[in-house]
């Protein structure tokens, strides 16, 4: 798609971006509490980067949409805990817990869900208006 | 024919402006989570009076410049946020939702006006 023409392009892309966000939340929550044997192996939460697309349109027509351009790993330190009896413990007896803030992820999930719903609402409203316009004069 | 066109002109213009405004608000809602995005809006009244060539001064010639000149391109300007956010995004979902529903209702109203005008024309044509 090289251009945005109507609300289906705008809100459809935004929904795709929010879905990427929801997927990252799902991955983070699924890996919360995972234990690894070293700092490098430990899971670190991932976050999408949102960017306005067709910003050049915005100057003339006001239309712009959004894309999740990349997914980045957050530079958070995994939690180190002393569990020498753990099979994955390193030579000093430490294991590393995934660097996922569960509360933050839950808030993120709610926000992404809300915004996904907002976009659906926009599409369904405009679709209904378009259908009414098509039957104009009947 | 031009009579009929003129008869329906104001509503068709209003309809296309309302549609444009809806799409701009859709862009704002789509970008509700994008850092540094600035919410935009269309000044409907200004655009409408530009089309109708009315304003503070009456326009009698095409070369006249309307007094209510839009500041930005094609009447699209930035929205003033009620509260600044940390990521530089000025979209406030409550404001956008309210604007969107108001604009949709107004679109529907214009459609109803058009519908009744058209049915009035039809009954005049049929002579029933």
């Amino acid at each position: 798609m090289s251009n945005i023409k109507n609300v289906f392009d705008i809100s459809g892309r935004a929904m795709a971006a929010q879905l990427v966000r929801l997927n990252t939340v799902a991955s983070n929550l699924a890996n919360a509490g995972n234990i690894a044997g070293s700092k490098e192996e430990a899971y670190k939460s991932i976050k999408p980067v949102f960017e306005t697309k067709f910003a050049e349109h915005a100057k003339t027509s006001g239309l712009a949409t959004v894309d999740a351009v990349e997914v980045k790993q957050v530079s958070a330190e995994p939690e180190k805990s002393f569990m020498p009896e753990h099979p994955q413990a390193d030579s000093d007896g430490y294991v590393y817990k995934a660097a996922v803030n569960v509360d933050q992820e839950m808030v993120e999930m709610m926000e992404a869900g809300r915004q996904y719903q907002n976009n659906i609402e926009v599409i369904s409203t405009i679709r209904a208006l378009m259908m009414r316009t098509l039957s104009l004069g009947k | 024919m031009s009579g009929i066109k003129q008869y329906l002109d104001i509503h068709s213009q209003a309809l296309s402006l309302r549609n444009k405004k809806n799409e701009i608000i859709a862009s704002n809602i789509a970008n509700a989570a994008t850092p540094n995005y600035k919410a935009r809006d269309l000044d409907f009244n200004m655009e409408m009076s530009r089309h109708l060539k009315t304003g503070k001064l009456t326009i009698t010639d095409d070369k006249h410049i309307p007094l209510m000149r839009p500041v930005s391109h094609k009447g699209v300007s930035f929205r003033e946020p009620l509260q600044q956010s940390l990521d530089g995004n000025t979209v406030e979902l409550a404001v956008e939702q309210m604007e969107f529903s108001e604009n949709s209702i107004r679109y529907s109203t214009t459609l109803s006006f058009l519908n009744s005008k058209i049915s009035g024309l039809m009954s005049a044509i049929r002579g029933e």
Side-chain angles (χ1 to χ4, degrees), chain A residues 100-125:
Chain A
V100 177
N101 185 340
V102 178
D103 302 331
Q104 203 185 334
E105 296 300 331
M106 292 302 278
V107 171
E108 182 107 5
M109 180 181 79
M110 274 161 60
E111 202 191 326
R114 221 7 241 295
Q115 286 179 358
Y116 192 87
Q117 277 179 353
N118 272 326
N119 283 303
I120 293 180
E121 198 61 41
V122 167
I123 290 186
S124 60
T125 309

Side-chain angles (χ1 to χ4, degrees), chain B residues 79-113:
Chain B
R79 204 192 285 295
E80 196 68 47
L82 295 171
Q83 197 172 16
Q84 293 287 348
S85 67
L86 273 176
D87 62 355
N89 184 307
T90 64
V91 179
E92 279 154 338
L93 268 181
V95 175
E96 300 300 333
Q97 280 171 332
M98 196 239 348
E99 285 274 344
F100 185 73
S101 57
E102 185 193 338
N103 200 52
S104 303
I105 296 287
R106 289 187 188 274
Y107 186 96
S108 292
T109 316
T110 308
L111 267 184
S112 308
F113 275 129

Side-chain angles (χ1 to χ4, degrees), chain B:
Chain B
M1 194 60 198
S2 72
I4 294 178
K5 194 174 174 239
Q6 232 169 33
Y7 183 60
L8 301 174
D9 186 46
I10 178 162
H11 293 304
S12 69
Q13 189 64 29
L15 210 59
S16 80
L17 276 178
R18 287 282 171 214
N19 188 41
K20 199 175 160 193
K21 189 169 165 140
N22 256 350
E23 284 180 343
I24 290 171
I25 296 172
S27 304
N28 290 343
I29 292 176
N31 278 288
T34 318
N36 289 321
Y37 178 84
K38 306 291 178 218
R40 301 168 173 89
D41 199 7
L42 182 80
D43 189 337
F44 181 84
N45 287 343
M46 184 148 54
E47 285 300 291
M48 206 59 204
S49 61
R50 199 156 66 129
H51 174 75
L52 297 172
K53 297 189 172 147
T54 55
K56 285 171 186 157
L57 292 177
T58 317
I59 292 161
T60 51
D61 192 287
D62 278 348
K63 284 172 191 152
H64 287 174
I65 298 164
L67 197 63
M68 295 170 73
R69 241 175 112 72
V71 191
S72 64
H73 221 71
K74 290 182 180 165
V76 179
S77 47
F78 292 105
R79 204 192 285 295
E80 196 68 47
L82 295 171
Q83 197 172 16
Q84 293 287 348
S85 67
L86 273 176
D87 62 355
N89 184 307
T90 64
V91 179
E92 279 154 338
L93 268 181
V95 175
E96 300 300 333
Q97 280 171 332
M98 196 239 348
E99 285 274 344
F100 185 73
S101 57
E102 185 193 338
N103 200 52
S104 303
I105 296 287
R106 289 187 188 274
Y107 186 96
S108 292
T109 316
T110 308
L111 267 184
S112 308
F113 275 129
L114 261 177
N115 258 329
S116 47
K117 273 196 163 181
I118 289 171
S119 61
L121 272 177
M122 289 308 269
S123 57
I125 290 167
R126 286 203 200 94
E128 284 160 355

